[in-house]
Amino acid sequence: MKGAGVWIWGLLWCVVGVAALSRSVDGFDDLSAKESLLSLLETDDTSPSPANQLMVPLTLIHGAAAKGAVCLDGTPPGYHLHRGSGSVLLLFQANQLNFRGQRIWSAAMEELMAQGMKNAEQALLSGCSAGGLASILHCDEFGDLFPKTTKVKCLSDAGMFLDAIDVGGGRTLRNMFNGVVKLQGVAKNLPNTCTSQMDPTSCFFPQNLVANIKTPMFLLNAAYDVWQIHQSLAPSTADPHGYWKDCKENHAQCNASQIQFLQDFRDQMLNAINVFSKSEQNGLFINSCFAHCQSEKQDTWFANDSPVIAEKAIAVSVGDWFLDRTTVKAVDCAYPCDKSCHDLVFK
Ligand SMILES: *[C@@H]1O[C@H](CO)[C@@H](O)[C@H](O)[C@H]1NC(C)=O
């Protein structure tokens, strides 16, 4: 990879929108962390990158509005593109479940391909949270844009949203996804390997998609995904008496039955990736941490004390997988065994 030249770096985003996903726990806007991914993959070594921050201007997709590809607030979508030669790293920046997004996606891809992305030797589609889900949903479509000779892979960070039963016995996230699927008419854009078997809302859940993705994919996720604990498992609507309030703020305050509930969630996560994990080309890093989005900040991505599984940091694991150095199937033992976590604590 040395000498492959500067990476092209595209970052697709909507400026504002309905924040269906909580912003507070997401590490958005952290450009330097992306730089370290670039630097890691580009230099093919594991040394921390110098903090040479690069300012990349925002490009609005001019043709987008005409094609109806607008963000929820009516503004055109944009992307950051750092041009170079050789490789592409495309990051979804999504702080919303905006899957009217198909038009945005198509318009952006058209423009990025025209700008030279079609000549990339290597391309990685990546995103965190809603962007992580988007990179699962669009992975094969992204792969199909390139000739067979291009190395194309996808990384989903914190995108493994599970169709789980909440603490009140309901299905909070399924109801939310149902609304997104109906409102934004995404059904026709979901992979038909799934929609031919199941209802569209089920096909919005990665657990019903990942086993059938043809393009090599890496799933990075905390087993105790904090966004899901807050918004899907124990939102206040499912916990009207606030029994989960303290536990949500700090996992150290969870009692034994709450921990058991969370262990069960981890088991569901591991079940959901079981078939996916059997494919040699796929990668995994499921750590037993209370986190959400671990690829976007230097402290969780690659630092002296960043989270590890078997002494390997996330950046090294993703790098090994992307560059075909080794297969990576890193799954941690259950809480509280991992002492390297950067757990999110809200109080
Ligand atoms: C844990 O807390 C919940 C909610 O307050 C309670 O219903 C449950 O009995 C507690 N479990 C234990 C083992 O203390």
Side-chain angles (χ1 to χ4, degrees):
M1 291 272 296
K2 273 206 170 75
V6 188
W7 290 68
I8 302 175
W9 173 34
L11 190 144
L12 184 60
W13 73 325
C14 280
V15 182
V16 270
V18 180
L21 293 180
S22 147
R23 226 190 147 88
S24 58
V25 292
D26 279 1
F28 295 122
D29 310 322
D30 194 273
L31 300 185
S32 59
K34 313 292 191 204
E35 285 307 298
S36 53
L37 172 61
L38 303 185
S39 165
L40 172 75
L41 295 175
E42 185 179 19
T43 58
D44 198 7
D45 72 29
T46 55
S47 58
S49 70
N52 51 346
Q53 189 131 345
L54 178 73
M55 293 312 292
V56 186
L58 170 69
T59 309
L60 294 177
I61 303 172
H62 298 299
K67 292 174 188 151
V70 289
C71 299
L72 285 181
D73 66 337
T75 58
Y79 58 86
H80 295 286
L81 181 66
H82 177 57
R83 279 165 141 301
S85 63
S87 302
V88 142
L89 173 66
L90 187 69
L91 294 140
F92 267 103
Q93 177 102 338
N95 64 348
Q96 52 181 311
L97 290 173
N98 176 7
F99 291 94
R100 189 152 76 170
Q102 186 64 30
R103 287 191 194 143
I104 296 176
W105 163 268
S106 305
M109 287 307 120
E110 211 174 285
E111 187 155 325
L112 288 168
M113 287 310 257
Q115 298 257 338
M117 190 169 79
K118 63 178 187 299
N119 303 318
E121 284 154 21
Q122 316 188 65
L124 176 64
L125 175 65
S126 160
C128 153
S129 199
L133 173 57
S135 70
I136 291 171
L137 291 168
H138 288 291
C139 185
D140 278 342
E141 206 184 326
F142 182 66
D144 288 345
L145 291 172
F146 295 90
K148 292 258 177 299
T149 48
T150 306
K151 178 193 280 201
V152 188
K153 300 193 179 191
C154 309
L155 164 65
S156 165
D157 179 10
M160 278 302 290
F161 295 94
L162 297 188
D163 188 5
I165 308 234
D166 61 43
V167 298
R171 288 189 183 264
T172 300
L173 191 57
R174 191 175 179 89
N175 295 339
M176 192 193 288
F177 276 16
N178 207 10
V180 172
V181 168
K182 287 221 169 83
L183 256 166
Q184 299 181 19
V186 294
K188 61 182 185 304
N189 300 319
L190 295 168
N192 69 3
T193 46
C194 181
T195 49
S196 61
Q197 313 271 325
M198 287 182 194
D199 63 281
T201 302
S202 296
C203 296
F204 211 60
F205 282 99
Q207 67 205 64
N208 300 318
L209 299 170
V210 290
N212 290 317
I213 295 174
K214 302 186 309 268
T215 309
M217 171 110 220
F218 193 103
L219 298 175
L220 162 64
N221 223 105
Y224 314 100
D225 185 298
V226 164
W227 187 92
Q228 293 190 69
I229 295 173
H230 280 240
Q231 307 294 331
S232 168
L233 298 180
S236 46
T237 45
D239 175 38
H241 301 292
Y243 295 141
W244 277 77
K245 189 172 174 289
D246 292 342
C247 172
K248 280 194 297 186
E249 278 168 359
N250 183 348
H251 61 85
Q253 300 177 48
C254 303
N255 72 17
S257 43
Q258 289 167 330
I259 291 292
Q260 191 46 53
F261 190 92
L262 298 174
Q263 298 296 22
D264 184 57
F265 179 74
R266 172 177 174 272
D267 291 342
Q268 293 173 53
M269 176 86 70
L270 299 185
N271 269 335
I273 57 172
N274 184 37
V275 176
F276 169 90
S277 70
K278 297 207 159 83
S279 167
E280 184 95 348
Q281 66 177 11
N282 291 331
L284 277 178
F285 193 100
I286 309 291
N287 55 351
S288 292
C289 298
F290 289 79
H292 183 69
C293 291
Q294 302 179 92
S295 67
E296 299 202 321
K297 290 243 163 106
Q298 190 69 43
D299 75 307
T300 47
W301 173 249
F302 188 88
N304 284 337
D305 70 340
S306 61
V308 290
I309 295 179
E311 293 178 12
K312 223 154 97 171
I314 294 168
V316 181
S317 303
V318 172
D320 281 352
W321 160 80
F322 187 80
L323 301 169
D324 303 302
R325 289 191 291 231
T326 60
T327 54
V328 181
K329 303 280 154 86
V331 177
D332 217 346
C333 44
Y335 174 80
C337 76
D338 192 328
K339 306 297 178 219
S340 68
C341 295
H342 289 206
D343 291 323
L344 293 170
V345 169
F346 299 89
K347 204 183 193 176

